[in-house]
Amino acid sequence: MYTYKCNFDVPEDFGEVGAILAENEYSQKMFFKTIVLNNSVTFTCESWVQPKSEVPDKRIFFTDKSYLPSETPEALKSLRTEDLESLRGNGEGERQSYDRIYDYDVYDDLGDPDLNLSLAQPVLGGDKHPYPRRCRTGRPMSTIDPNAETRTKLPFYVPSDEEFSEIKDAQFGARLLYNVLHEIVPALDSIYTDKDKGFPLFTDIDLLYNQGVNVPPTEKITSDLPRLVKGAVDAAHDVIQFETPETMDRDTFSWFRDEEFCRQMLAGLNPYSIQLVTEWPLMSKLDPAIYGPPESAITKEIVEKEIGGVMSFDEALEQKKLFMLDYHDLLLPYVSKTRRLEGTTLYGSRTLMFLMPDGTLRPLAIELTRPPYDGKPQWNHVYTPTWNATGAWLWKLAKAQVLSHDSAYHELVSHWLRTHCVTEPYIIATNRQLSQMHPIKRLLLPYFRYTMQINSLARLALINAGGVIESTFSPGRYCMQICSDAYDQLWRFDHEALPADLISRGMAVEDPTASHGVKLTIEDYPFANDGLLIFDAIKQWATSYVNHYYPQADLIGSDEELQAWWNEIRTVGHGDKKDETWWPQLETQDDLVGILSTIMWVTSGHHSAVNFGQYDFAGFFPNRPTIARTKMPNEDPTDKEWQSFIKRPEDLLLNCFPSQIQATKVMAVLDVLSSHSPDEEYIGGTIEPAWEVEPAIKWAFLSDSQHSYDGLGHKKYCKLIHITNRAYSPLVWTTLEYEISTTPTTNTIYSPHLTTYTKYLINTLKFKYLF
């Protein structure tokens, strides 16, 4: 880092300095961090300034003082407009690395027909496949498929200010992910010559963590991956060795148990899918002429048998004791197509659970359905827990099928779609419509940092045709079409805030007398318990911030930048849903607080819960297999297939799991995606410069942070997070920092995921922003 000093000749009657024009006369780009005048006026730039040989226009930087458009000093109005216009571009030409242009495009660059016709993919975005918009790159269109944008120039363009910092780039980001994909994965490919080979024994899985995989030494293997590359054991080999995930390190066989299977639906990697059963019988909404009878094969009699006399079926339904994972209608249209791919299978699935009197969930039944296929009628079967040996192995295999569905839904919908993909239009609109000086842009900026760069990397190597997701998850080449269907059928902005999400799934009901304004249907729901604390803190901060800058409601309606921002998010960035009636209006302070709180939650608490625990839960793939490669043994078996299952059922489970190359590829990528960067930011941690210069905002930040995050220091806002061996929260484990305190009041916390019985005081509650 360098500090430059210079002198300005400023007339005495110039008045207050509000902006600076800067240009870079060097041949290389420069990162401007701050400009400080000797009268303590500060310009927080945090931006790349390109050489004037590439970008001749001077850069405009404004002071840290925020202004609504109507309050902008007269001398700054034209500069405010000019700066915004420079970020919008004209929608033409190919974007270059030095550009700062934010514009919209459809997802037409996931396929690569120029490389191979088998890698062609439909365009996501539009009437046929609704989808959010991405940042426009302007690359030429393919000569093979005129609807596809070429992928010839890599890496993909993102506006220069969206690139990783040097610290994050070194510790996470482009370089480490690139190294995994272009060094580790090819090294694994070189030793796993049989791409379909599974693990012969469970002990072979353990060797990945105990001994690692010997690979031929190569100059391409980098030393920047110390958690994976352990160094040479001899002159002839390097070792790729995986760390044992904490969950498995504490209890190796927890993945085998039914109680853990259910517990992770409330406190695992995907706590966003479980929902209350409100109607019976369970019915499909799909066309029965195509997909077969719509009524579920899970009957009242099956439920009452599994409940075992605790209560009647009608009582269980009325008392809100029945819950389910329902991937039936989302997946069933893809079952036939997926089964024509090599090395994978698929079902529509429903998983039914019962809330026991002690507050834990118990699985009752799994229904797997295959629609009419190759001249055969619909096939479905209901599996239940049993002590019968054959039935017990069928039950384990059915759970593996469901877990592969849940893994795909988690990665494609709960993670990619609902946090990364839908956020990109927010970022584009914020930069196109809200000035640097706008207080709402300065509020949102920390929540958006690095997201577009991560999304670009995902399009480059993770969600693209033939990429990591397609090659390792059950739906294969149909993964992103399923993601589009989920956006079309399930995504609603007004259900993305945590309380609204819980209510929409029947996991909570509105209750003004309850904490956070909702009463949970399952009291011991760790993700929701902790998440509501965090959501309330976010909303409290947003309320203080909005009410300061908009003391009257009419200021909301008259803010042309703010109104243009919200209109562009709805009608362009999420244009395929522009006519939905559920979009919130933006007329009052409460409207704006609700919109901002939703965006801030999605990019922080929601993302933390579904991202940072990925390796801890899925790094031991039997716990969360990403793919089911074989059908159930009782689905139209031959005598030979059935006898093979009877003799060695464990072989069928191992063959159902990912192959060796699929498992290790996913583990290597999740190891990077789950890691934390040294420069990650924390809500309530560091105050932004623009917040600090405004006394009321600084006070609100410090006050809200103190109240919301200081544990027992403020009894009004204090709530200790209790972790038990059945109620572990991903938000606690992966995103909160605990500090040992000498304060007498403590909370004894035990978890199989913590190393010892330890007394902790929650001294600070800090959690990660989106990356």
Side-chain angles (χ1 to χ4, degrees):
M1 183 180 294
Y2 298 91
T3 301
Y4 294 85
K5 294 184 179 181
C6 58
N7 296 318
F8 296 94
D9 292 325
V10 181
E12 292 184 2
D13 61 349
F14 184 85
E16 184 178 350
V17 177
I20 283 182
L21 306 184
E23 66 179 1
N24 175 10
E25 296 189 351
Y26 288 94
S27 60
Q28 301 292 324
K29 66 181 181 180
M30 298 178 65
F31 188 78
F32 279 41
K33 191 167 182 63
T34 57
I35 300 173
V36 183
L37 304 184
N38 60 6
N39 62 353
S40 299
V41 175
T42 301
F43 302 75
T44 301
C45 306
E46 295 289 341
S47 180
W48 290 102
V49 178
Q50 306 296 334
K52 70 176 185 179
S53 59
E54 293 180 339
V55 183
D57 296 335
K58 292 182 174 66
R59 283 293 307 280
I60 304 169
F61 292 110
F62 297 100
T63 65
D64 290 345
K65 184 173 176 59
S66 298
Y67 295 99
L68 297 180
S70 61
E71 300 168 344
T72 309
E74 193 65 33
L76 298 180
K77 287 183 177 179
S78 62
L79 291 177
R80 183 171 186 145
T81 300
E82 179 184 339
D83 186 54
L84 273 176
E85 289 177 348
S86 72
L87 295 171
R88 295 172 185 159
N90 59 10
E92 299 177 358
E94 182 174 358
R95 299 274 63 88
Q96 304 300 318
S97 60
Y98 50 77
D99 283 334
R100 294 173 60 243
I101 304 299
Y102 294 81
D103 203 356
Y104 300 94
D105 206 347
V106 294
Y107 280 74
D108 58 0
D109 63 346
L110 300 182
D112 195 356
D114 292 330
L115 182 63
N116 193 311
L117 280 175
S118 67
L119 297 178
Q121 279 280 20
V123 174
L124 302 186
D127 293 339
K128 190 172 183 180
H129 297 289
Y131 215 56
R133 299 303 188 258
R134 63 168 175 91
C135 184
R136 180 184 177 276
T137 62
R139 296 190 302 274
M141 303 306 284
S142 165
T143 57
I144 304 296
D145 180 359
N147 293 318
E149 191 173 82
T150 59
R151 295 169 58 88
T152 52
K153 291 191 175 181
L154 306 175
F156 292 167
Y157 163 81
V158 293
S160 57
D161 287 345
E162 304 297 331
E163 296 176 0
F164 288 148
S165 70
E166 292 183 2
I167 293 176
K168 195 172 187 73
D169 192 44
Q171 298 293 327
F172 171 73
R175 187 148 60 90
L176 286 193
L177 187 56
Y178 183 91
N179 288 343
V180 166
L181 295 172
H182 294 272
E183 299 174 11
I184 301 300
V185 171
L188 293 169
D189 270 325
S190 70
I191 60 169
Y192 293 131
T193 54
D194 183 354
K195 307 308 178 191
D196 296 325
K197 185 178 180 181
F199 291 87
L201 302 169
F202 281 97
T203 52
D204 293 310
I205 300 174
D206 295 337
L207 292 178
L208 295 174
Y209 314 98
N210 300 333
Q211 297 182 13
V213 179
N214 291 342
V215 296
T218 171
E219 294 179 359
K220 291 184 178 180
I221 296 291
T222 179
S223 60
D224 293 336
L225 297 162
R227 295 213 313 182
L228 282 176
V229 182
K230 303 301 182 183
V233 290
D234 53 47
H237 295 95
D238 284 334
V239 176
I240 297 175
Q241 184 176 345
F242 296 91
E243 287 192 357
T244 305
E246 183 70 15
T247 48
M248 298 305 107
D249 195 37
R250 297 301 303 166
D251 188 350
T252 304
F253 293 101
S254 62
W255 68 276
F256 220 57
R257 302 190 185 98
D258 287 349
E259 58 267 31
E260 181 67 8
F261 174 70
C262 289
R263 188 190 69 83
Q264 289 189 20
M265 297 178 193
L266 297 172
L269 192 54
N270 184 32
Y272 273 98
S273 286
I274 186 171
Q275 59 183 293
L276 178 70
V277 175
T278 58
E279 296 179 351
W280 199 270
L282 304 176
M283 298 288 290
S284 170
K285 297 179 181 178
L286 300 174
D287 185 351
I290 299 174
Y291 299 105
E295 185 168 335
S296 170
I298 303 177
T299 63
K300 287 185 179 182
E301 291 73 22
I302 292 174
V303 174
E304 290 193 326
K305 178 183 176 182
E306 294 302 318
I307 290 176
V310 175
M311 61 179 65
S312 69
F313 170 86
D314 291 334
E315 289 173 328
L317 187 65
E318 181 183 354
Q319 296 179 26
K320 299 182 178 181
K321 301 296 183 182
L322 297 177
F323 298 84
M324 69 174 173
L325 289 188
D326 187 359
Y327 297 132
H328 183 277
D329 283 11
L330 184 65
L331 297 182
L332 202 63
Y334 292 90
V335 169
S336 298
K337 292 186 286 189
T338 298
R339 286 179 168 222
R340 291 186 173 90
L341 304 176
E342 292 185 7
T344 186
T345 193
L346 195 64
Y347 294 93
S349 68
R350 297 183 180 100
T351 304
L352 192 67
M353 293 155 285
F354 175 67
L355 184 63
M356 298 289 287
D358 65 357
T360 61
L361 283 173
R362 173 188 166 189
L364 300 180
I366 291 173
E367 179 185 21
L368 300 179
T369 302
R370 182 204 69 197
Y373 174 70
D374 285 352
K376 300 176 183 178
Q378 182 196 76
W379 179 92
N380 68 355
H381 191 85
V382 177
Y383 302 87
T384 58
T386 178
W387 290 102
N388 173 279
T390 301
W393 276 105
L394 287 172
W395 173 248
K396 292 177 177 65
L397 285 159
K399 287 197 298 181
Q401 297 283 344
V402 167
L403 287 169
S404 73
H405 304 165
D406 193 57
S407 292
Y409 188 89
H410 159 259
E411 205 64 77
L412 295 171
V413 182
S414 299
H415 186 196
W416 163 254
L417 175 66
R418 291 181 64 181
T419 65
H420 289 268
C421 185
V422 301
T423 297
E424 189 147 335
Y426 308 153
I427 301 172
I428 298 172
T430 297
N431 283 278
R432 286 170 55 87
Q433 300 299 340
L434 299 181
S435 165
Q436 291 180 48
M437 291 189 287
H438 202 291
I440 300 305
K441 181 172 185 177
R442 285 172 161 166
L443 173 68
L444 292 175
L445 185 61
Y447 295 84
F448 293 159
R449 205 165 276 147
Y450 306 138
T451 303
M452 288 183 70
Q453 177 84 327
I454 282 289
N455 291 2
S456 174
L457 288 171
R459 297 191 346 257
L460 177 64
L462 296 178
I463 63 172
N464 60 303
V468 172
I469 300 296
E470 278 197 5
S471 62
T472 59
F473 283 73
S474 278
R477 65 177 301 159
Y478 302 108
C479 280
M480 296 310 294
Q481 292 181 49
I482 290 173
C483 187
S484 169
D485 288 350
Y487 176 71
D488 182 33
Q489 300 168 22
L490 304 175
W491 187 83
R492 296 177 49 154
F493 183 88
D494 64 329
H495 286 179
E496 292 303 289
L498 181 58
D501 168 74
L502 294 169
I503 291 169
S504 72
R505 292 187 283 120
M507 300 304 292
V509 294
E510 289 189 67
D511 184 351
T513 67
S515 300
H516 320 294
V518 296
K519 179 177 176 58
L520 294 177
T521 312
I522 299 178
E523 292 183 8
D524 194 359
Y525 188 178
F527 160 72
N529 290 323
D530 300 337
L532 287 168
L533 285 169
I534 295 169
F535 183 84
D536 277 3
I538 290 172
K539 189 172 182 180
Q540 180 178 327
W541 161 236
T543 300
S544 300
Y545 194 95
V546 166
N547 287 337
H548 172 74
Y549 285 105
Y550 298 94
Q552 293 90 35
D554 60 356
L555 292 173
I556 302 283
S558 63
D559 187 335
E560 63 268 21
E561 287 185 8
L562 187 70
Q563 293 297 327
W565 167 78
W566 184 234
N567 182 67
E568 190 167 283
I569 285 173
R570 293 181 292 111
T571 63
V572 183
H574 287 276
D576 295 335
K577 287 182 171 283
K578 65 180 183 298
D579 297 323
E580 299 287 356
T581 58
W582 41 252
W583 284 105
Q585 298 297 309
L586 182 51
E587 299 173 350
T588 69
Q589 295 99 323
D590 286 346
D591 294 340
L592 182 55
V593 168
I595 290 167
L596 294 174
S597 298
T598 297
I599 293 173
M600 293 156 73
W601 161 256
V602 164
T603 53
S604 57
H606 179 151
H607 178 264
S608 290
V610 299
N611 178 74
F612 289 111
Q614 287 186 96
Y615 189 79
D616 294 312
F617 281 105
F620 184 76
F621 64 85
N623 186 58
R624 286 192 67 80
T626 58
I627 189 170
R629 296 191 296 150
T630 59
K631 66 181 180 66
M632 293 296 292
N634 64 321
E635 182 198 333
D636 302 330
T638 65
D639 289 340
K640 183 178 179 180
E641 289 173 336
W642 185 251
Q643 289 305 315
S644 177
F645 165 63
I646 294 297
K647 289 179 180 178
R648 289 190 60 84
E650 65 273 21
D651 287 352
L652 269 74
L653 183 58
L654 286 165
N655 289 335
C656 183
F657 283 156
S659 68
Q660 294 184 18
I661 184 59
Q662 288 171 330
T664 51
K665 185 188 295 186
V666 169
M667 290 161 63
V669 170
L670 294 185
D671 181 77
V672 174
L673 294 181
S674 301
S675 63
H676 298 290
S677 173
D679 71 335
E680 282 190 272
E681 300 175 56
Y682 300 84
I683 289 179
T686 303
I687 188 170
E688 292 287 306
W691 306 346
E692 192 166 20
V693 299
E694 184 62 48
I697 295 299
K698 180 180 180 180
W699 181 89
F701 174 85
L702 297 175
S703 175
D704 290 348
S705 298
Q706 184 85 352
H707 288 166
S708 301
Y709 302 116
D710 272 0
L712 293 179
H714 296 266
K715 293 181 180 179
K716 180 178 178 182
Y717 298 94
C718 162
K719 181 176 180 181
L720 286 174
I721 311 294
H722 182 66
I723 309 175
T724 72
N725 61 353
R726 60 180 173 78
Y728 147 66
S729 167
L731 275 169
V732 171
W733 188 23
T734 64
T735 63
L736 302 182
E737 292 189 348
Y738 293 93
E739 298 180 6
I740 296 176
S741 172
T742 57
T743 307
T745 307
T746 59
N747 186 31
T748 301
I749 303 176
Y750 170 66
S751 168
H753 315 294
L754 299 176
T755 54
T756 59
Y757 283 86
T758 310
K759 288 187 176 181
Y760 282 97
L761 170 68
I762 298 179
N763 206 26
T764 56
L765 296 178
K766 303 176 181 178
F767 62 95
K768 312 288 183 184
Y769 287 113
L770 176 53
F771 290 101

